[in-house]
């Protein structure tokens, strides 16, 4: 019998582990980044394949970048769509992550209404700078009509990237249809080893749109607001400063 890694939470909210398992299965596309395979799921725990980590190397980083582009290019039906065969919302960390049951008109509309405003409300934040930014997002200022919804991990900080001898594997997704730059922004927010090698290899497979490095800060607003909700106002000043740049 295959040994597994067990995550448990006796007081987990409804379908917490089920949506994580659905996200892992959805992200497991041919040629993409491997994931920790779900072996068993219950309301209070998730068992995945056991992975042995190894120090990052240049070769692993480049392979990860190329494979991440393939994962993203697998696409999604629309922005905010949940993983296949999943209905309802998901989670990011331990809090709710809204999904869009029906297509939205643009990435900007999705980002403003399902990734910024819900977390501003949850944190009790009412600042004009955020509402002005949401208006610009809804107006399409930051949309890229040359690219469609990507199949993204959604919570791709360095702690959810496991370096193994067999290649990088992904864990703990908040998977949904989103913007490829969102995952890249998360990799940079809390520091991924050998990130520049990852990004160069990614760009070889799927060239990134002009100005993507400037937009990274825009995509980092959502995880920062998640941190405001989870941990308090210490992250609010950082999020506000970023919002002012857009």
């Amino acid at each position: 019998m295959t040994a597994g890694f067990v995550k448990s939470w006796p007081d987990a909210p409804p379908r917490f582990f089920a949506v994580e398992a659905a996200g892992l299965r959805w992200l497991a596309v041919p040629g993409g980044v491997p994931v920790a395979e779900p072996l068993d799921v219950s309301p209070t725990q998730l068992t995945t394949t056991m992975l042995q980590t190894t120090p990052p190397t240049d070769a692993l980083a480049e392979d990860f970048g190329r494979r991440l582009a393939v994962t993203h290019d697998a696409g999604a039906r629309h922005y905010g769509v949940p993983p296949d065969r999943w209905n309802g919302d998901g989670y990011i960390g331990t809090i709710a992550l809204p999904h869009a049951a029906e297509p939205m008109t643009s990435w900007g509309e999705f980002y403003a209404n399902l990734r910024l405003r819900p977390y501003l409300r949850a944190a009790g934040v009412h600042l004009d700078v955020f509402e002005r930014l949401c208006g610009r997002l809804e107006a399409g200022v930051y949309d890229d009509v040359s690219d469609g919804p990507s199949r993204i991990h959604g919570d791709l900080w360095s702690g959810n990237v496991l370096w193994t001898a067999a290649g990088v594997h992904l864990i703990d997704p908040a998977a949904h249809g989103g913007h490829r730059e969102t995952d890249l922004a998360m990799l940079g927010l809390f520091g991924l080893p050998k990130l520049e090698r990852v990004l160069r290899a990614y760009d070889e497979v799927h060239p990134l749109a002009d100005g993507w490095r400037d937009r990274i800060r825009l995509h980092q607003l959502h995880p920062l607001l998640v941190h405001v909700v989870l941990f308090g106002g210490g992250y609010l000043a950082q999020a506000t400063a970023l919002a002012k740049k857009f």
Side-chain angles (χ1 to χ4, degrees), residues 39-200:
L39 302 176
D40 185 64
V41 62
S42 77
T44 59
Q45 68 180 35
L46 172 66
T47 304
T48 64
T49 47
M50 183 74 73
L51 298 170
Q52 299 296 325
T53 59
T54 190
T57 66
D58 292 347
L60 287 173
E62 291 164 3
D63 181 67
F64 174 40
R66 290 189 288 268
R67 288 180 176 274
L68 184 59
V70 173
T71 298
H72 288 168
D73 285 345
R77 295 192 306 278
H78 57 82
Y79 292 112
V81 71
D84 288 349
R85 296 178 292 280
W86 186 261
N87 293 312
D89 293 337
Y91 295 92
I92 184 165
T94 58
I95 61 176
L97 181 77
H99 287 148
E102 300 296 332
M104 306 187 82
T105 60
S106 66
W107 174 78
E109 182 194 18
F110 154 71
Y111 195 62
N113 290 290
L114 293 186
R115 293 296 177 266
L116 298 187
R117 286 190 173 119
Y119 298 90
L120 292 166
R121 289 194 296 268
V125 174
H126 305 280
L127 294 175
D128 289 344
V129 63
F130 289 108
E131 192 50 45
R132 285 196 297 271
L133 173 57
C134 286
R136 289 171 62 80
L137 284 161
E138 290 175 313
V141 173
Y142 304 106
D143 286 327
D144 179 6
V145 296
S146 69
D147 199 9
S150 294
R151 186 169 305 201
I152 71 170
H153 179 283
D155 192 13
L156 198 58
W157 71 289
S158 57
N160 289 337
V161 176
L162 297 188
W163 304 79
T164 82
V168 163
H169 285 62
L170 303 182
I171 62 171
D172 297 353
H176 63 276
H179 199 304
R180 67 182 67 245
E181 292 173 5
T182 294
D183 271 353
L184 303 183
M186 285 290 289
L187 290 174
L189 184 57
F190 298 110
L192 180 80
K194 302 186 179 295
L195 178 58
E196 284 303 314
R197 283 191 176 270
V198 173
L199 296 173
R200 285 199 296 270

